[in-house]
Amino acid sequence: MIKLFKVKEKQRELAENANGKTLVKKQSAGELRLHRDISELNLQKTCTIAFPNGKDDLMNFEVTVRPDEGYYLGGTFMFTFQVSPMYPHEAPKVKCKTKVYHPNIDLEGNVCLNILREDWKPVLNINTIIYGLFHLFTQPNYEDPLNHDAAAVLRDNPKMFESNVRRAMSGGYVGQTLFPRCM
Amino acid sequence: MVESTVQQSRSRDLDKLLLRPGNLVGPNFEPGPGLREDLKEYVRVLVVGAGGLGCELLKDLALSGFREIEVIDMDRIEVSNLNRQFLFRLEDVGKPKAEVAARRVMQRVAGVNIVPHFCRIEDKELDFYSNFSIIALGLDSIEARSYINSVACSFLEYDADDKPQEETVKPMVDGGTEGFQGHARVIMPGITPCFECTIWLFPPQVKFPLCTLAETPRTAAHCIEYAHLIKWDEVHSGEAFDPDDPEHMKWVYDEANKRAELFGIPGVTLSLTQGVVKNIIPAIASTNAIISAACALETLKIASGCSKTLSNYLTYNGAEGLHTKVTEFVRDKDCLVCGPGVLIELDASVTLQKFIELLEEHPKLLLSKASIAHRGKNLYMQAPPVLEEMTRSNLSKSLYDLMGKIPKDVVHATGTTNKNDKKTSVLRKLRVVFKGVDEITDMETAAGGA
């Protein structure tokens, strides 16, 4: 390609001083794929989405889940999503911002959902994750615990688990931990 | 007199490639001493990364007859680099890699000119990258490769028949190593598959289930990830973990050790902690040397035409004996990054609403319910309702205005199309060209920026 390089190098030298700087925001392939995921979102009535940084930042958003059945009926739980430019090669980072008494969500907001870590695949999408989060509230699972105490109570004494969840959601102590009201 | 002897001995091997004709040469190869001079004079190579591969690449390129080289790297030298990043000495620890590497090669190879850039690859304008003839990549992350790939592909232009225009092709040579394994590939955007066409080649990262970390750790790595992902947040509320802060790393190591003792798990060390947290696989100097040599040779072949290039992906495995193989991967014809997309000519007066309707009727697209994005701006989103509302007012505006009055540019559209009576969702690249908008406008804008 040396002839081509020669021509271009001569052009470049000529244009050296007459060149304006082009600072263009590069849109990564991950952003484009996310654009598609978001434009095709098909949310249930129980889930809403918000974009705190406006319409052009789809990489950071919030999803609010309001379970319509199960232990967590009536509660409102907010999750933040952080999507990397390597999406969908990498799963989004999801944190629960509402302090919740839940076997699969710890008090720091870490969420134990298989498709967020070990079972993530690029064919999955944002819709799948939101569905998975909703599922965590209708089917809490004591076999994969992050909150060890909550899991033990759910396994050994579901009635007590139910009353603990109600107490936590209406704003109160479970054991030593204070949960802010989220209903 | 002395100089000419030195010059001759240095280019002796190179001359065997550049001065003699051959049967397996590239198109338009014209052997002769002029070619050697032209390599120095007219070929500008950018080396991205001045680490394990970068050090080797700079040395190899400088000794292969290239004179105008630049190198970009955002890192500083660490003690752990010194076993293989041979341009660095103990007294260089803490200094920018790009600057030390450039200086060392210039000291050793007379006449070569290496310009260092100590910054992030994203900090440079597109013009910076467009100035190079060839970009050689010595990187360790998919993300950085993907970025450079998208920059190089953004220079690519297609003619009306969807053929790539040769003068807009920015060749890349990409090297990568992981322990005893490595790859070298040649990327000619528009001609050979780009990085994004074959992104599936990279295996997903191994991630442990959080609940295993929290409940039933079985390996040293589980203990380390527990300290890194769970314990850190519990103790340092709000403070982000910084893998490059030695104190943070030491804290994670200590916590991992405590947990390993609790569960009777052996094997937690500081270096394993660094490896797991930063996802590092030990680097092998000889793998870097072999892969860089292949990359430098391909760079020389592209520039001089002295041989046909690798077609197009070489894998090397030195773990058990030695195995190398070249695979010819194929382009993804619908690639959003290097593909031609669908050419659409419009009047400058067409509104966004009208444009979306046109996509539905366009024979190559038949795209209904399209959402439109241009350079990271969402012009219209069909869903979710909150975004639809925020972008609805754009529908009545002209697309030309919404795109910042650029005579031609790429937009992306997501929507549904009917394939064999089944609705499938698609994401398409569109090359929008406005008719009746004088090309002179383009020139004026360019000149206006001076």
Side-chain angles (χ1 to χ4, degrees):
Chain A
M1 294 180 80
I2 196 114
K3 279 190 187 150
L4 194 58
F5 295 160
K6 220 165 163 172
V7 173
K8 282 169 83 175
E9 187 63 15
K10 283 181 178 152
Q11 281 173 350
R12 196 184 68 82
E13 276 160 17
L14 282 176
E16 189 94 274
N17 299 317
N19 225 343
K21 297 258 182 267
T22 16
L23 253 180
V24 177
K25 190 190 164 200
K26 288 271 1 116
Q27 205 172 18
S28 67
E31 277 179 89
L32 292 170
R33 159 64 196 265
L34 183 64
H35 177 262
R36 166 170 159 186
D37 277 19
I38 297 286
S39 71
E40 289 169 354
L41 267 187
N42 185 10
L43 296 178
Q44 300 140 302
K45 286 197 294 290
T46 49
C47 301
T48 53
I49 189 167
F51 297 86
N53 305 332
K55 70 175 179 68
D56 293 330
D57 181 4
L58 304 183
M59 310 289 271
N60 298 283
F61 55 89
E62 298 168 355
V63 169
T64 304
V65 179
R66 294 184 185 78
D68 58 355
E69 58 171 90
Y71 296 113
Y72 295 91
L73 172 70
T76 300
F77 305 95
M78 201 262 270
F79 294 86
T80 55
F81 280 60
Q82 247 185 312
V83 186
S84 99
M86 289 319 295
Y87 181 79
H89 196 75
E90 268 174 31
K93 288 198 172 71
V94 178
K95 286 262 183 182
C96 184
K97 288 293 160 182
T98 311
K99 200 169 184 181
V100 55
Y101 178 77
H102 193 293
N104 314 111
I105 302 174
D106 72 13
L107 300 175
E108 312 307 317
N110 294 310
V111 182
C112 187
L113 182 64
N114 62 336
I115 53 170
L116 285 177
R117 294 186 58 82
E118 71 274 16
D119 290 333
W120 172 256
K121 288 180 184 61
V123 294
L124 301 177
N125 57 35
I126 302 295
N127 233 352
T128 341
I129 298 174
I130 297 179
Y131 190 80
L133 293 176
F134 179 76
H135 195 72
L136 276 184
F137 288 100
T138 54
Q139 305 276 321
N141 172 7
Y142 57 76
E143 280 173 0
D144 292 327
L146 267 189
N147 181 336
H148 187 89
D149 298 339
V153 177
L154 174 63
R155 184 187 58 217
D156 301 333
N157 190 347
K159 278 267 178 267
M160 186 171 157
F161 180 78
E162 184 173 1
S163 83
N164 282 354
V165 170
R166 297 322 293 178
R167 186 145 19 98
M169 290 203 308
S170 31
Y173 277 93
V174 178
Q176 301 293 308
T177 313
L178 175 65
F179 291 87
R181 186 180 167 82
C182 66
M183 319 185 55
Chain B
M1 188 66 199
V2 174
E3 197 175 77
S4 81
T5 327
V6 171
Q7 204 55 41
Q8 199 190 4
S9 79
R10 204 213 280 178
S11 63
R12 190 189 59 197
D13 296 316
L14 192 59
D15 287 349
K16 288 182 181 151
L17 295 171
L18 300 184
L19 303 187
R20 307 187 300 194
N23 293 323
L24 296 169
V25 298
N28 307 321
F29 174 58
E30 284 176 15
L35 189 52
R36 198 173 63 204
E37 293 315 305
D38 286 351
L39 272 186
K40 292 192 190 353
E41 199 71 33
Y42 299 111
V43 183
R44 296 159 54 86
V45 183
L46 175 66
V47 174
V48 187
L53 284 167
C55 281
E56 293 279 350
L57 269 171
L58 286 168
K59 172 259 292 172
D60 290 347
L61 292 169
L63 293 173
S64 301
F66 294 98
R67 192 183 65 190
E68 300 300 328
I69 304 173
E70 303 197 15
V71 56
I72 180 167
D73 194 305
M74 62 178 282
D75 283 339
R76 291 174 184 275
I77 297 160
E78 290 178 39
V79 173
S80 62
N81 302 147
L82 300 179
N83 72 330
R84 63 191 184 283
Q85 299 178 21
F86 63 93
L87 296 173
F88 310 142
R89 305 283 173 268
L90 194 57
E91 65 265 25
D92 300 323
V93 169
K95 294 179 192 160
K97 288 185 176 180
E99 291 171 9
V100 177
R103 198 172 63 236
R104 283 278 143 71
V105 175
M106 284 195 286
Q107 281 164 358
R108 294 293 292 269
V109 185
V112 69
N113 180 30
I114 305 183
V115 181
H117 301 272
F118 171 45
C119 62
R120 298 170 59 81
I121 50 177
E122 296 89 349
D123 291 344
K124 292 287 184 190
E125 311 89 13
L126 289 183
D127 282 353
F128 170 78
Y129 293 103
S130 95
N131 280 339
F132 293 97
S133 326
I134 302 173
I135 302 178
L137 310 182
L139 292 165
D140 60 0
S141 88
I142 303 179
E143 195 169 345
R145 283 193 183 87
S146 177
Y147 180 81
I148 297 286
N149 180 69
S150 72
V151 170
C153 291
S154 72
F155 304 126
L156 179 64
E157 286 186 33
Y158 285 88
D159 63 19
D161 301 321
D162 289 353
K163 293 271 180 297
Q165 297 182 326
E166 200 195 0
E167 66 275 17
T168 64
V169 173
K170 181 75 66 193
M172 282 175 283
V173 179
D174 173 46
T177 67
E178 217 174 63
F180 286 104
Q181 302 178 38
H183 78 257
R185 68 190 293 189
V186 172
I187 300 179
M188 298 279 199
I191 301 164
T192 69
C194 83
F195 184 72
E196 217 64 49
C197 291
T198 56
I199 187 106
W200 49 267
L201 279 170
F202 290 88
Q205 273 179 27
V206 177
K207 291 212 166 162
F208 308 117
L210 274 185
C211 43
T212 302
L213 305 181
E215 280 295 295
T216 51
R218 295 183 301 276
T219 66
H222 287 161
C223 299
I224 293 163
E225 281 290 66
Y226 171 81
H228 166 221
L229 294 172
I230 297 177
K231 194 76 185 176
W232 177 272
D233 282 348
E234 251 175 65
V235 177
H236 306 79
S237 67
E239 191 190 348
F241 173 79
D242 176 4
D244 294 322
D245 184 330
E247 276 180 35
H248 287 196
M249 196 57 87
K250 178 74 170 52
W251 188 92
V252 167
Y253 165 61
D254 289 340
E255 286 299 321
N257 239 335
K258 282 185 213 164
R259 191 159 176 83
E261 267 171 40
L262 188 66
F263 285 87
I265 296 169
V268 174
T269 60
L270 184 58
S271 66
L272 181 70
T273 306
Q274 288 168 324
V276 169
V277 169
K278 295 173 104 173
N279 207 11
I280 299 174
I281 290 168
I284 310 287
S286 53
T287 314
N288 284 340
I290 290 164
I291 293 299
S292 299
C295 290
L297 183 60
E298 291 310 311
T299 309
L300 180 66
K301 292 200 278 188
I302 294 171
S304 67
C306 69
S307 166
K308 287 178 181 162
T309 59
L310 186 71
S311 177
N312 44 40
Y313 194 108
L314 172 135
T315 48
Y316 161 84
N317 191 339
E320 287 174 54
L322 189 147
H323 181 254
T324 62
K325 182 177 195 267
V326 176
T327 310
E328 184 168 8
F329 284 107
V330 292
R331 293 179 66 203
D332 172 1
K333 66 177 172 49
D334 293 326
C335 178
L336 294 171
V337 177
C338 76
V342 176
L343 180 64
I344 296 182
E345 289 186 305
L346 294 172
D347 283 322
S349 62
V350 168
T351 63
L352 181 58
Q353 170 104 52
K354 180 75 187 155
F355 177 63
I356 291 172
E357 287 165 18
L358 283 171
L359 299 183
E360 203 159 351
E361 296 151 19
H362 194 288
K364 276 191 185 166
L365 290 165
L366 302 169
L367 190 67
S368 55
K369 291 212 161 148
S371 298
I372 310 291
H374 172 246
R375 292 192 179 180
K377 285 204 156 58
N378 292 314
L379 303 184
Y380 184 67
M381 292 291 282
Q382 299 275 355
V386 52
L387 287 180
E388 196 279 333
E389 207 172 295
M390 283 196 248
T391 53
R392 196 184 301 153
S393 62
N394 281 344
L395 285 174
S396 56
K397 295 178 189 160
S398 87
L399 183 64
Y400 181 60
D401 286 345
L402 287 169
M403 287 170 59
K405 299 189 197 293
I406 305 170
K408 57 175 182 186
D409 205 0
V410 168
V411 302
H412 289 93
T414 301
T416 52
T417 186
N418 275 319
K419 220 178 198 174
N420 312 326
D421 284 336
K422 264 180 78 180
K423 274 195 174 172
T424 43
S425 98
V426 282
L427 170 52
R428 301 301 289 266
K429 176 175 173 179
L430 312 174
R431 272 150 63 209
V432 174
V433 177
F434 291 102
K435 286 182 287 191
V437 178
D438 219 323
E439 281 291 323
I440 289 167
T441 322
D442 198 9
M443 300 282 279
E444 276 172 356
T445 334

